[in-house]
Amino acid sequence: MIVLKTNEEIEILRENNLLVSQTLAEVGRHIRPGVTTRKLDQVAETFIRDHDAIPGFKGYQGFPATLCASVNDQVVHGIPSGYELKEGDIISIDCGVVKNGFYGDSAFTFAVGEISPEKDQLLRVTRGSLEKGVAQAVAGNRVGDIGYAVQNYAESFGFSVVRELVGHGLGKHLHEAPEVPNYGKRGRGPKLKEGMVICIEPMINMGVKEVYQDRDGWTIHTADGQPSAHFEYAVAVRKNRADVLTTFEYVDKVLNQKK
Ligand code: MG
Ligand code: MG
């Protein structure tokens, strides 16, 4: 069942996703060669709790941390650890919060120092594919219109779309209906209605689309060991527009300061 949100509830979701946006920026400020992903996790947890919210992922189905920190060939659900980031790595930071009974959930993939032109293109195209998907998140369209837009854009650069993991509705639960695949056919799938809040989160691989799960029970890797990128927005569906509840402005500001 798809739960539609009132405007009041959407404003709570906006506040939560803006907190996630700010947390991503705070994490981004600490990303550099030599820092451990566990340290980034601590930064995020402290920041979230200082803002009177609760980490949304910690304890979710037993996940042990505040962030999913997924480096290079790790697609999503990487567990923060003693791994020290290296120059040239890319790292997807996925972050959730709970506040006032609702979730926030957004993700950004960061470069660690200087990265290869190929990885840089992967990041730009994945972020671009998210924007293409978001543009379709308008009342009257269908979920397949979002997936088609993401897939069409990413594949035009020779990249591939992960099939096993998808976006989702967001509200009082972290994962609500409908599923929002990053691939699909135009005009197919559930109809988008005003008041739906969905997370659109393309996971785009440089090589093959196939993935596998690590023996840790969480981390998803690309089957061929090539890099993968992941960006995620929470979006409220409106009549003539997609109302993006997440912003990457804070992250972009931090990244510009680091240049
Ligand atoms: Mg997420
Ligand atoms: Mg999500």
Side-chain angles (χ1 to χ4, degrees):
M1 191 187 67
I2 297 174
V3 181
L4 301 179
K5 276 75 184 182
T6 65
N7 279 329
E8 207 171 32
E9 290 171 329
I10 289 172
E11 291 316 309
I12 295 173
L13 284 157
R14 188 190 311 279
E15 190 185 320
N16 292 357
N17 282 287
L18 289 177
L19 176 57
V20 174
S21 304
Q22 291 169 320
T23 308
L24 292 172
E26 188 61 21
V27 169
R29 199 189 307 282
H30 288 80
I31 288 179
R32 57 184 155 69
V35 74
T36 66
T37 54
R38 188 174 289 130
K39 170 67 183 173
L40 299 177
D41 195 68
Q42 288 162 355
V43 165
E45 178 163 6
T46 301
F47 190 84
I48 290 165
R49 294 194 190 278
D50 283 350
H51 288 81
D52 303 317
I54 296 168
F57 298 167
K58 203 168 190 175
Y60 183 81
Q61 294 182 354
F63 189 76
T66 294
L67 298 179
C68 294
S70 309
V71 180
N72 295 332
D73 73 300
Q74 300 177 352
V75 180
V76 287
H77 303 167
I79 301 171
S81 71
Y83 175 79
E84 289 184 3
L85 293 178
K86 296 192 308 288
E87 180 93 19
D89 284 346
I90 57 172
I91 179 170
S92 153
I93 300 291
D94 194 350
C95 180
V97 300
V98 191
K99 190 173 178 177
N100 296 321
F102 286 84
Y103 276 85
D105 180 18
S106 307
F108 192 95
T109 301
F110 294 88
V112 182
E114 289 288 314
I115 59 172
S116 69
E118 293 77 16
K119 279 181 169 173
D120 186 60
Q121 191 192 32
L122 178 67
L123 297 194
R124 281 187 284 110
V125 169
T126 306
R127 185 169 172 172
S129 75
L130 170 58
E131 298 293 346
K132 296 286 180 191
V134 164
Q136 298 298 319
V138 175
N141 281 358
R142 290 182 181 271
V143 166
D145 295 317
I146 296 173
Y148 174 82
V150 170
Q151 179 180 15
N152 187 52
Y153 185 75
E155 289 183 351
S156 73
F157 292 86
F159 297 141
S160 65
V161 176
V162 173
R163 303 295 202 273
E164 286 82 351
L165 299 127
V166 296
H168 51 90
L170 184 75
K172 289 181 177 166
H173 303 277
L174 179 57
H175 295 124
E176 298 186 357
E179 290 196 339
V180 184
N182 299 299
Y183 58 93
K185 292 195 166 69
R186 281 188 279 196
R188 302 280 181 88
K191 202 170 218 171
L192 298 171
K193 290 185 183 147
E194 190 162 27
M196 282 173 63
V197 174
I198 54 174
C199 286
I200 303 175
E201 49 178 316
M203 288 151 261
I204 305 297
N205 295 350
M206 193 181 286
V208 300
K209 65 181 186 297
E210 284 76 20
V211 297
Y212 71 94
Q213 189 177 50
D214 196 280
R215 281 160 54 189
D216 68 14
W218 282 105
T219 314
I220 305 297
H221 297 263
T222 59
D224 60 5
Q226 290 211 64
S228 182
H230 175 218
F231 289 81
E232 175 179 22
Y233 275 152
V235 181
V237 174
R238 304 287 195 181
K239 270 215 178 79
N240 293 306
R241 67 190 176 98
D243 184 0
V244 180
L245 306 181
T246 310
T247 178
F248 292 149
E249 276 177 35
Y250 305 115
V251 170
D252 286 334
K253 205 171 158 197
V254 164
L255 295 183
N256 283 326
Q257 285 165 355
K258 284 169 91 177
K259 271 181 190 163

